[in-house]
Amino acid sequence: MSNMMRDAQIMAQTKDENLGYMSDMALELAQMAEDAGLATLAYLFRMAALEASTANSELNEPDDLPGHITSH
């Protein structure tokens, strides 16, 4: 059982690192787009960075709901 818990922790840490990397990269791309005068593209990259950082913080918060909400 401890192997499963360790594997889940490693996977969560890897996902957390990947989301952080994606957020950083999106911010860099936003700056490059802004420097090139592409305001709309810069905005979209900033929104992608925000989405990645929000997903990153949601991974670290415990679930308040007992189960996942589904559409049915």
Side-chain angles (χ1 to χ4, degrees):
M1 190 62 123
S2 64
N3 286 342
M4 287 176 54
M5 290 176 63
R6 186 192 73 220
D7 291 347
Q9 184 178 13
I10 290 170
M11 288 174 60
Q13 182 179 359
T14 301
K15 188 172 185 177
D16 187 40
E17 290 170 1
N18 288 343
L19 287 170
Y21 174 77
M22 288 190 309
S23 179
D24 292 345
M25 184 58 64
L27 287 174
E28 287 183 36
L29 290 169
Q31 186 61 51
M32 291 170 61
E34 189 171 321
D35 292 345
L38 303 170
T40 303
L41 186 59
Y43 173 80
L44 292 174
F45 279 124
R46 284 194 185 93
M47 291 300 103
L50 179 62
E51 183 71 25
S53 67
T54 302
N56 194 10
S57 66
E58 286 176 2
L59 287 177
N60 297 325
E61 295 177 5
D63 248 352
D64 291 336
L65 301 174
H68 294 286
I69 299 173
T70 61
S71 61
H72 46 85

